[in-house]
């Protein structure tokens, strides 16, 4: 066996199940149990992964703690070299990783490959930015504070947190994994990765790239298995020094139980698109269709609610509807626009929201249609605040439209939501755009474009129940360190003279 197939051979057991990773080795679990991963398209088992035990999780934290001490003493440039090698290996061996995504999360083939390449770019950027950001210290002199002379100097350093628990979601199983573990490793931490069940195999392929890049043993471990069995054990483990989590309301429970450790949380959004009376409606319509239905709407930054001013509502709908009708429904292998949602549970939840809107009088501009996990794009008009779709995140190919009297009414609805990740506003008046953006109490606002995460070095954060902390490369690097002060006390005041 050679080439890419040989590169990934160590991660697969003779039984056909994928191994887990601990202390620099690929192993089968002593539980002798596996977890099945269903293909959302065929509803048949695509892969099986190890069901790790709590004892194996304990071993991960023991090895992580030991490896982290040595890693923290590794120069920044050497850490950067290893991350860059991992990025290079991901590009070189990208296709099998992308193929796994197609089968386990039903992401279109071209988008899956794009995610792998984007992730490699992110790792490389993290390595370069880490050398700059983490290498910059600070010197403070005491005489800048009233009442003090210049007899104390404070050296301010950035030091690692220890062991970071990284929990990415199914929808970007590689990109949102490396956006966590890349900064964590670059900052001198060890990582325990808990991949999503749907998306675990893509993540295991990614980890092999880090292993082959020369990452020291113990520094990165991967615990596969059901969250219901090892999830709480991981998040409440005494060896965890930081948690970086992307997902849904599970994150709220984690934050309540986690104790005195730093948290980086992104928990979804109800991203509102406000269309003003003076908007370029063709631009808005194109952005809405792409923003709402890319990856079947299974994105935290998807357009989840359009709020359009009454005077242009009919004209906007007339432009959005043809775009929705042109979307191709099918399989991810065929690069269809709309592919099956990730699980039957997700599909059932989406259907429940749509049926609620139907019962309360929403106008269906496209008919409701579902076959298994495959849901046809559904566009609803005349949605009202009493409908669940006005507030809840469907995470599927469903777009509700609400008609409002003014942009101010739309802002009021946006700010009343418990979710506040992103939003967008379409207007040709830049002054109005800034005023509306300032009034929207959300983490990010896009002007004349749909919500989006990225480029990956842009700050990315949510307010209220949408999150804690700032992501993006620099934000994540700074999240993964703590500040240490070393104060030099001089016997007398000393002033630098020219």
């Amino acid at each position: 066996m050679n080439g890419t197939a040989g590169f990934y051979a160590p991660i697969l057991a003779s039984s056909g199940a994928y191994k887990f990773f601990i202390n620099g080795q690929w192993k089968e679990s002593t539980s002798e149990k596996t977890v099945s991963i269903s293909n959302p398209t065929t509803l048949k088992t695509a892969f099986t992964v190890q069901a790790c035990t709590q004892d194996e999780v304990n071993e991960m934290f023991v090895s992580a703690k030991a490896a982290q001490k040595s890693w923290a003493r590794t120069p920044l440039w050497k850490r950067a070299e290893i991350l860059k090698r991992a990025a290079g290996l991901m590009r070189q061996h990208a296709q099998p990783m992308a193929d796994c995504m197609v089968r386990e999360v039903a992401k279109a083939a071209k988008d899956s490959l794009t995610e792998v390449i984007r992730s490699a770019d992110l790792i490389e950027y993290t390595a370069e930015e880490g050398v700059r950001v983490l290498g910059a210290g600070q010197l403070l002199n005491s005489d800048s504070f009233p009442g003090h002379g210049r007899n104390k100097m404070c050296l301010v350093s950035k030091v690692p947190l220890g062991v970071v628990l990284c929990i990415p979601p199914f929808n970007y199983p590689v990109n949102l994994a490396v956006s966590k573990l890349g900064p964590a490793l670059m900052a001198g931490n060890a990582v325990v990765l808990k991949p999503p069940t749907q998306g675990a195999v893509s993540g295991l392929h990614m980890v092999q790239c880090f292993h082959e890049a020369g990452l020291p043993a113990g520094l990165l471990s991967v615990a596969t298995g059901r969250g219901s069995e090892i999830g709480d054990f991981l998040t409440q483990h005494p060896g965890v020094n930081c948690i970086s989590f992307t997902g849904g309301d599970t994150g709220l429970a984690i934050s309540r139980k986690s104790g005195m450790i730093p948290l980086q949380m992104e928990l979804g959004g109800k991203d509102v698109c406000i269309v003003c009376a003076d908007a370029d409606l063709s631009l808005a319509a194109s952005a809405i269709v792409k923003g709402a239905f890319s990856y079947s709407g299974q994105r935290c930054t998807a357009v989840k609610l359009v709020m359009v001013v009454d005077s242009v509502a009919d004209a906007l709908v007339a432009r959005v509807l043809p775009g929705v009708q042109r979307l191709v429904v099918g399989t991810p292998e065929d690069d269809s626009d709309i592919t099956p949602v990730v699980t039957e549970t997700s599909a059932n939840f989406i259907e429940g929201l749509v049926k609620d809107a139907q019962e309360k009088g929403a106008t269906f501009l496209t008919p409701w249609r579902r076959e298994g996990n495959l849901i046809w794009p559904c566009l609803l008009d005349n949605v009202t605040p009493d409908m669940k779709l006005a507030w809840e995140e469907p995470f599927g190919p469903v777009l509700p439209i609400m008609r409002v009297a003014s942009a101010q009414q739309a802002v009021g609805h946006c700010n009343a939501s418990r979710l506040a990740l992103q939003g967008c506003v379409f207007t040709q008046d830049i002054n109005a755009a800034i005023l509306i953006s300032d009034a929207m109490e959300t983490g990010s606002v896009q002007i004349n474009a749909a919500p989006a995460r990225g480029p990956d070095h842009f700050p990315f954060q949510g307010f209220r129940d949408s999150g804690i902390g700032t992501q993006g490369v620099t934000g994540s690097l700074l999240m993964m360190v703590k500040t240490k002060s070393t104060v030099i006390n001089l016997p007398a005041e000393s002033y630098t003279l020219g």
Side-chain angles (χ1 to χ4, degrees):
M1 194 177 291
N2 50 44
T4 294
F7 179 81
Y8 290 119
I11 74 176
L12 191 63
S14 58
S15 64
Y18 281 86
K19 301 175 184 178
F20 77 101
F21 191 66
I22 183 171
N23 206 18
Q25 295 180 306
W26 292 100
K27 291 186 174 183
E28 295 178 77
S29 174
T30 57
S31 72
E32 299 183 350
K33 296 178 181 178
T34 58
V35 175
S36 297
I37 299 173
S38 175
N39 183 323
T41 304
T42 65
L43 303 182
K44 297 178 180 178
T45 298
F47 306 108
T48 55
V49 295
Q50 304 299 311
C52 291
T53 67
Q54 292 185 0
D55 285 342
E56 286 162 342
V57 170
N58 283 332
E59 290 175 28
M60 292 179 189
F61 282 101
V62 170
S63 62
K65 186 175 181 179
Q68 188 271 327
K69 297 300 182 184
S70 175
W71 183 243
R73 295 184 180 94
T74 302
L76 285 169
W77 66 267
K78 284 189 176 181
R79 298 180 207 166
E81 280 189 347
I82 292 175
L83 262 64
K84 288 180 180 180
R85 283 201 295 271
L89 289 170
M90 284 180 66
R91 292 192 187 95
Q92 185 179 346
H93 303 286
Q95 195 61 58
M97 205 181 310
D99 292 343
C100 289
M101 260 188 275
V102 172
R103 295 178 62 191
E104 60 183 341
V105 300
K107 181 170 286 191
K110 66 178 186 301
D111 294 336
S112 296
L113 186 58
T114 296
E115 178 175 338
V116 177
I117 302 304
R118 171 187 178 183
S119 300
D121 293 343
L122 192 160
I123 294 167
E124 216 161 56
Y125 191 100
T126 299
E128 294 171 359
E129 185 73 353
V131 169
R132 291 188 291 268
V133 171
L134 301 173
Q138 188 179 18
L139 174 65
L140 299 176
N141 289 304
S142 53
D143 65 320
S144 60
F145 196 87
H148 289 266
R150 199 171 189 270
N151 64 334
K152 293 176 180 283
M153 293 186 291
C154 180
L155 303 176
V156 184
S157 305
K158 303 179 185 75
V159 297
L161 297 173
V163 181
V164 179
L165 174 61
C166 297
I167 309 176
F170 78 86
N171 56 344
Y172 289 90
V174 175
N175 184 257
L176 285 177
V178 301
S179 73
K180 302 173 186 303
L181 65 88
L185 291 170
M186 190 61 204
N189 301 289
V191 170
V192 174
L193 174 68
K194 170 59 180 79
T197 300
Q198 302 283 151
V201 176
S202 310
L204 293 171
H205 281 69
M206 175 270 296
V207 168
Q208 173 67 352
C209 295
F210 277 87
H211 176 50
E212 290 295 329
L215 197 69
L219 208 56
L220 174 59
S221 298
V222 186
T224 55
R226 297 205 179 279
S228 58
E229 297 174 3
I230 60 172
D232 283 350
F233 189 76
L234 278 161
T235 57
Q236 297 175 52
H237 198 283
V240 174
N241 301 116
C242 172
I243 299 175
S244 179
F245 174 92
T246 300
D249 286 349
T250 300
L252 296 175
I254 292 173
S255 67
R256 294 187 187 107
K257 300 174 183 177
S258 58
M260 291 284 289
I261 61 171
L263 299 176
Q264 185 183 52
M265 297 268 175
E266 193 267 281
L267 310 181
K270 184 66 177 175
D271 305 319
V272 173
C273 172
I274 299 175
V275 182
C276 299
D278 70 333
D280 180 332
L281 297 183
S282 295
L283 173 66
S286 175
I288 287 168
V289 172
K290 183 177 181 180
F293 294 102
S294 292
Y295 188 40
S296 304
Q298 296 177 109
R299 298 176 298 113
C300 295
T301 56
V303 174
K304 308 285 173 52
L305 177 64
V306 174
M307 306 195 77
V308 55
V309 174
D310 280 323
S311 61
V312 295
D314 287 342
L316 178 70
V317 168
R319 288 168 171 80
V320 171
L321 180 57
V324 175
Q325 293 171 329
R326 284 193 293 269
L327 294 171
V328 177
V329 180
T331 68
E333 289 84 356
D334 293 331
D335 281 326
S336 301
D337 299 310
I338 304 296
T339 58
V341 296
V342 69
T343 63
E344 183 181 3
T345 300
S346 296
N348 291 341
F349 176 74
I350 295 164
E351 183 168 359
L353 294 179
V354 172
K355 295 301 183 185
D356 173 78
Q358 184 177 41
E359 292 168 3
K360 294 174 180 174
T363 302
F364 281 66
L365 300 177
T366 58
W368 169 256
R369 182 180 173 188
R370 172 188 172 186
E371 294 179 8
N373 289 4
L374 185 60
I375 296 173
W376 271 249
C378 188
L379 183 65
L380 298 90
D381 196 1
N382 299 306
V383 169
T384 53
D386 63 319
M387 300 175 188
K388 292 179 181 179
L389 263 178
W391 304 102
E392 297 193 35
E393 181 182 26
F395 228 66
V398 175
L399 179 61
I401 297 175
M402 289 181 66
R403 298 174 180 233
V404 293
S406 64
Q408 289 70 32
Q409 182 184 346
V411 169
H413 183 95
C414 170
N415 293 348
S417 173
R418 70 179 183 87
L419 298 174
L421 184 63
Q422 287 212 359
C424 63
V425 55
F426 285 86
T427 176
Q428 297 185 70
D429 182 343
I430 188 61
N431 295 323
I434 297 300
L435 290 172
I436 293 170
S437 173
D438 286 348
M440 293 174 72
E441 298 168 1
T442 60
S444 301
V445 177
Q446 299 273 347
I447 295 173
N448 291 325
R453 184 180 62 86
D456 286 320
H457 69 302
F458 281 16
F460 181 67
Q461 57 281 313
F463 297 165
R464 299 193 292 281
D465 284 357
S466 282
I468 302 171
T470 296
Q471 299 181 61
V473 172
T474 304
S476 291
L477 284 166
L478 294 174
M479 172 73 200
M480 301 300 180
V481 293
K482 52 193 173 187
T483 299
K484 182 171 183 176
S485 300
T486 301
V487 179
I488 301 171
N489 293 275
L490 302 176
E493 293 183 19
S494 178
Y495 293 87
T496 303
L497 302 178

